[in-house]
Amino acid sequence: MIKKHTLDNGLRIVMEKIDYVRSASIGIWVNVGSNNENEETNGVSHFIEHMLFKGTDNRKANEIAEDIDNLGGQLNAFTSKECTCFYVKVLDENINEALDILSDMFFNSLFSQEEIEKEISVVIEEIKMYEDSPEDIVHDKLSEVIFSGSPMAYNILGTEENLKTFNNSKVKKYMEKNYSPSNTVVAIAGSFDEEELISIIEQKFKYWENEEVRHVHKESTYQRKVIGINKDLEQLHMCIGNRTIGRHDKNYHPLLVLNNLFGGTMSSRIFQEVREKKGLVYSVYSFVSNYSNTGIFSIYAGMSYEQAEDALRTILKEMVNIKNGNISQEEFLRAKQQIKGNYILSLESTSSRMSAIGRRELLYNEIIYPEEVIESINNVKMEDVLEIAGELFKIENLSITFTGNLNKHSDIEEKINKVLGEKYEN
């Protein structure tokens, strides 16, 4: 049973009690991510996530880590385009102590200038680490293309140039402007006493007041592009994608089924055709990222420069095959079963369940039970999948980002455009 309780200041608490476990996962979810930033503040949402671990009025940074380790717990956080989450997983007997640590970090972090300067260096190293990953480079570049003209295009980590401008005043001002009880959810899943839990959270959060934060969605102006980034690499890394629907669209579950059968598993079309049958790549897969109002469908492939044309051509042919209705009943049912299986397996983790109820309440203000999700997947029809494929798999709308040694292989963009221009429809 999932229950919801709202404090007088607007903070929402969502709880799912699971009697057969001995642990609990607790998360503070804030509706703030890179989508809330502008050119000057890009990267600050993620930077605040880092700074909340760097010491409070009551605990030094090392004491935060030691206090969690003393409980045998796990403490972490992440930032996405739409939200930031600080979470902990502990034994049910240590919930009070865990909430004390989380709320202390949340309300009493010092943001000392000395720690800010150290953390700027840490995040710059994190950016460099991503820049050394060609897979991340092409995904991020595709996101920039798809969401051009919107804050959704910003890199979550920000830029080195921006980070160097961050100081105590700038960081705290952004937090005060964007962190509010009205756009925050405390989610918990696992073993706990409901009344006691609400009482503890109320005690920690009831005095928090801030103006309601309203987010305005800015639509991006998507125009397809082919963009290469020069890196001295042994392989060519490519991302092929299109803008797609948001999380609440009626075709959300059909999109998941389409992704699964096209490139989401080892039995999928492109894995079998591009890798297993033709041996053109080592890694190839598709995936979807859905947000409140928009999303990306993309395909990643890493290959030798000589195989690029054949690999891309094979992927595009499979897109057209599916768009033309070439889906067997067997692979359609297998894709649905795979999604259901993965979803049900995820329910065995208190962390996954806490994430599911926290994210859903924060971004969509709704509670959905597992049975409803399974029913939605079961209700997907073949024609629903073909409808979304008809929209997504229009070759003239596809953008491609790629990275590799373009000095040595200067004709790659020309080859990609040639393959894109070939005739695939009769």
Side-chain angles (χ1 to χ4, degrees):
M1 184 74 173
I2 302 168
K3 293 190 176 179
K4 178 178 171 179
H5 180 85
T6 306
L7 301 187
D8 290 343
N9 61 0
L11 180 99
R12 289 163 283 165
I13 305 168
V14 284
M15 305 161 280
E16 182 174 19
K17 195 166 182 181
I18 308 166
D19 291 324
Y20 54 83
V21 298
R22 285 290 319 281
S23 68
S25 293
I26 308 156
I28 302 175
W29 293 78
V30 192
N31 194 187
V32 176
S34 55
N35 192 27
N36 303 95
E37 298 165 353
N38 56 38
E39 284 187 20
E40 286 184 8
T41 59
N42 179 215
V44 73
S45 303
H46 171 257
F47 192 74
I48 287 169
E49 174 221 308
H50 274 239
M51 287 307 302
L52 262 60
F53 289 79
K54 297 301 164 188
T56 72
D57 294 331
N58 308 302
R59 294 175 173 89
K60 293 176 183 172
N62 65 301
E63 290 172 338
I64 292 172
E66 286 167 8
D67 284 357
I68 282 293
D69 286 348
N70 288 339
L71 302 178
Q74 300 160 2
L75 175 68
N76 214 329
F78 67 84
T79 307
S80 71
K81 288 187 182 294
E82 293 187 304
C83 64
T84 307
C85 177
F86 308 90
Y87 61 97
V88 64
K89 185 175 184 178
V90 289
L91 296 176
D92 53 7
E93 64 200 53
N94 298 130
I95 287 173
N96 200 339
E97 296 93 324
L99 270 167
D100 187 65
I101 296 166
L102 261 187
S103 59
D104 186 28
M105 292 165 59
F106 197 73
F107 291 119
N108 305 315
S109 282
L110 293 171
F111 297 101
S112 77
Q113 194 57 40
E114 182 188 353
E115 289 295 337
I116 283 174
E117 283 163 20
K118 280 195 281 186
E119 208 55 30
I120 286 169
S121 296
V122 170
V123 179
I124 287 172
E125 289 305 312
E126 190 178 355
I127 289 170
K128 287 176 180 174
M129 181 181 76
Y130 276 90
E131 287 175 349
D132 280 345
S133 166
E135 208 169 323
D136 289 318
I137 288 170
V138 287
H139 284 142
D140 284 346
K141 182 54 73 174
L142 183 68
S143 194
E144 281 180 33
V145 171
I146 299 279
F147 298 132
S148 176
S150 157
M152 290 290 284
Y154 292 139
N155 190 304
I156 292 163
L157 301 182
T159 63
E160 188 171 336
E161 186 183 16
N162 261 15
L163 282 158
K164 288 177 177 175
T165 69
F166 292 172
N167 54 36
N168 174 281
S169 170
K170 190 170 186 176
V171 172
K172 287 182 84 170
K173 186 178 175 184
Y174 180 87
M175 192 174 182
E176 284 161 10
K177 183 182 174 185
N178 289 281
Y179 276 53
S180 163
S182 63
N183 70 342
T184 302
V185 169
V186 178
I188 179 163
S191 171
F192 56 88
D193 179 285
E194 187 186 322
E195 285 185 21
E196 187 182 347
L197 177 74
I198 290 172
S199 171
I200 296 166
I201 295 172
E202 187 144 19
Q203 180 188 331
K204 306 283 185 192
F205 287 83
K206 68 180 177 183
Y207 297 112
W208 181 28
E209 289 185 3
N210 204 353
E211 290 179 14
E212 188 173 340
V213 178
R214 294 200 177 276
H215 300 309
V216 179
H217 172 68
K218 186 178 178 184
E219 193 59 68
S220 59
T221 52
Y222 173 53
Q223 289 181 309
R224 67 169 297 275
K225 287 182 181 174
V226 175
I227 296 180
I229 300 156
N230 188 41
K231 287 267 180 185
D232 188 7
L233 301 167
E234 292 298 315
Q235 272 193 316
L236 182 72
H237 299 260
M238 187 184 294
C239 226
I240 307 152
N242 200 349
R243 188 165 72 176
T244 187
I245 56 177
R247 172 65 184 76
H248 266 273
D249 192 278
K250 66 182 176 66
N251 275 324
Y252 172 70
H253 286 101
L255 174 61
L256 296 188
V257 175
L258 173 65
N259 173 63
N260 191 284
L261 68 84
F262 185 73
T265 67
M266 288 175 67
S267 66
S268 67
R269 282 294 184 87
I270 56 173
F271 190 91
Q272 288 299 313
E273 290 295 324
V274 184
R275 177 182 151 140
E276 298 297 280
K277 291 183 185 175
K278 296 190 176 181
L280 297 171
V281 301
Y282 172 70
S283 177
V284 62
Y285 60 86
S286 68
F287 73 101
V288 286
S289 301
N290 293 99
Y291 305 102
S292 297
N293 300 289
T294 188
I296 296 179
F297 176 88
S298 57
I299 301 132
Y300 165 81
M303 70 218 88
S304 71
Y305 296 90
E306 294 71 31
Q307 309 280 39
E309 283 183 84
D310 281 347
L312 177 57
R313 189 176 288 115
T314 307
I315 290 167
L316 297 182
K317 280 179 179 175
E318 285 309 314
M319 280 186 160
V320 173
N321 272 339
I322 284 182
K323 195 170 78 161
N324 290 343
N326 182 14
I327 301 174
S328 72
Q329 191 67 18
E330 181 186 1
E331 64 183 332
F332 171 67
L333 294 174
R334 183 168 61 236
K336 285 172 57 164
Q337 191 59 36
Q338 176 84 19
I339 294 167
K340 285 192 291 183
N342 286 342
Y343 176 69
I344 291 165
L345 288 173
S346 75
L347 296 177
E348 296 187 4
S349 154
T350 59
S351 303
S352 294
R353 289 172 87 141
M354 180 279 290
S355 291
I357 63 173
R359 189 190 301 272
R360 202 176 293 277
E361 177 60 40
L362 182 77
L363 299 178
Y364 311 114
N365 202 17
E366 66 181 11
I367 290 170
I368 290 184
Y369 287 92
E371 298 77 23
E372 295 174 82
V373 175
I374 297 297
E375 185 182 4
S376 295
I377 298 165
N378 283 334
N379 288 340
V380 173
K381 296 180 176 65
M382 182 84 80
E383 52 263 37
D384 301 330
V385 175
L386 293 174
E387 182 185 335
I388 193 81
E391 287 298 312
L392 274 190
F393 291 173
K394 289 177 179 171
I395 290 167
E396 66 273 17
N397 289 347
L398 298 176
S399 286
I400 297 182
T401 54
F402 58 97
T403 186
N405 190 334
L406 306 184
N407 290 334
K408 188 176 176 183
H409 302 274
S410 56
D411 59 347
I412 286 291
E413 184 169 343
E414 186 183 331
K415 287 179 175 178
I416 287 171
N417 281 316
K418 173 176 156 277
V419 175
L420 282 171
E422 289 171 9
K423 193 173 179 184
Y424 295 93
E425 305 268 12
N426 292 326

